[in-house]
Every structure is written in C-alpha cells, then in structure tokens.
C-alpha cells in the first residue's frame, strides 16, 4: 500500500575556520607555526542540495468478499415444480430461479378478477343513480367498500403468486443448487447463494498512527494466496470514523475491479 510521499532534504557541507582564532590571539600577526601548517590545512568540500523521495509501505491483513452477497430463500410453503438454473451460473437481476406450485393461486386470482370487475360495474351503476338522487349515499358507500375488499383480495393473491416465483434480486454468480424438483420447501429454505463478484470488496485494518496517510480514492495493491506472485490494484472507498480502542486501529474498505471474475 502506497502512503503519502515523505520528502527528505539533505544538506551536505563542511566549513573549517583556518587561522582566524590564531590571528585573534596573536594580535593579527601570523605565527611561524601557523605559516608552517598552512600547507596542511583541510580542503573544504561543498555538495549541492538535492531532493529525494522515500516510499512508505503499510502492510495489513484483510478479507476479500463480493460487493453484494445473499442467501436466496423460499418465502412460501409449497412444492418445487421447476428449477431454472445450474450450479455457479451467471444470472441477471429478476431471472427466474425456482418456481413453486401455484395452480391454486392462479385459479383464485381468476375468480378474484371476476369479482373485481363485477364490483366495479355495480359501483359505476350506483354512482349514476346517486348522481340522479335515486340512491342513498349510504348504499353507495357500502358498494365502494365491497369494491375495495375485492381489489384487496386480488392483491393478496398476486403477492402469493410472486412468493412462489423465486428470482435473482441482483445480477451475479449463483452458488450450488440447494433444491430439486419435487422438494417441499418452507419459508427460510435456502435455494442457493448469489454473489456479485464484478468487484471485490477488501476490508482491512491499519494502525492509528498511519491514519493521516490514508485518503478516499487512494490506490492500494493486494495479494492473495490463490494467485501467488500477482498484484491486484484497488481504490480506498471508505475510512471508518472510529478507532478501535482495543487495537488502536482503523477499519479501511477498498474496492478491487474483477472483470475476469477470478
């Protein structure tokens, strides 16, 4: 992980004061011994000031997980009549995975639709009579309530039909199949798992003393035992607002593109 660059400025130089002290002590007259040592005085060397960069590397252990992950479960108690996916298949959002028995609900919905249509006709007829002052408002209100109950029953049956169609909540890669045709499932039965691995979310911790060197959008490199020798480049997407009081570390989250689904 590349942290902020530290600029180190080094100045190399030397200065030697030759005979100034001797002159001061002798009142400005150069003594014989000083003249004798003049040939052995050190040479002053001066180097130009230069800038150099030092890379500070912070290492941390972390976990890589899919961007979105969920166990897909049944919402109703019924028999499986169709399994529409294979193990570890790529699917798109809304794709049908499992169909449960729904013949009874289909018949109930057909009956509910007939009832709704009948209530709508009667309500419109009574609206006309009420407008002609040939019907009491109380009777019109009762017919309106009957229509609302018929529509509510239709909506309940529609929800039951949706619960018997198990679909993918988002695009991603499925896990292993957990049911077969003929199985009786109940609410909570795991059908399969679904992971969006188009991007890998990396969660790791960094000591508190390095917090100032981190920022959103900063690149980092990751390595994994699954692909020895390879480096994967990601970007920091979040820094936790709290420092763990026990470990004095801060949680960091990054995102690593995974276009090849590895």
């Amino acid at each position: 992980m590349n942290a902020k660059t530290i600029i180190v400025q080094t100045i190399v130089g030397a200065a030697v004061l030759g005979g100034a002290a001797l002159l001061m002590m002798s009142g400005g007259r150069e003594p014989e011994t000083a003249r004798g040592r003049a040939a052995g005085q050190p040479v002053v060397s001066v180097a130009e000031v230069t800038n150099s960069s030092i890379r500070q590397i912070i290492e941390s252990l972390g976990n890589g997980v899919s961007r979105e992950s969920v166990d897909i479960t049944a919402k109703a108690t019924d028999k499986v009549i169709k399994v529409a996916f294979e193990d570890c298949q790529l699917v798109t959002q809304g794709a049908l995975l499992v169909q449960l028995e729904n013949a009874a609900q289909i018949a109930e919905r057909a009956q509910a639709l007939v009832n709704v249509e009948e209530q709508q006709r009667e309500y419109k007829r009574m609206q006309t009579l009420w407008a002609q002052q040939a019907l009491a408002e109380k009777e019109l209100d009762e017919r309106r309530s009957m229509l609302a109950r018929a529509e509510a029953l239709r909506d309940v049956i529609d929800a039951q039909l949706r619960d018997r169609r198990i679909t993918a909540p988002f695009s991603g890669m499925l896990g292993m199949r957990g049911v077969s045709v003929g199985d009786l499932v109940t609410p909570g039965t795991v059908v399969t798992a679904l992971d969006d691995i188009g991007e890998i979310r990396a969660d790791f911790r960094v000591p508190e003393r390095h917090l100032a060197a981190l920022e959103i959008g900063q690149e980092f490199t990751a390595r994994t035992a699954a692909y020895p020798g390879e480096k994967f480049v990601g970007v920091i997407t979040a820094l936790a607002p709290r420092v763990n009081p026990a470990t004095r570390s801060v949680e960091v989250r990054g995102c690593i593109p995974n276009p090849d689904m590895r």
Side-chain angles (χ1 to χ4, degrees), residues 17-35 37-38 41:
L17 297 180
L22 293 176
L23 289 174
M24 291 176 61
M25 294 175 61
S26 60
R29 289 179 292 104
E30 184 179 2
E32 292 296 327
T33 55
R35 286 198 304 269
R37 292 197 303 266
Q41 287 180 355

Side-chain angles (χ1 to χ4, degrees), residues 177-195:
R177 190 176 69 176
V179 296
S180 299
V181 174
D183 284 345
L184 179 66
V185 299
T186 58
T189 300
V190 177
V191 172
T192 186
L194 177 62
D195 291 276

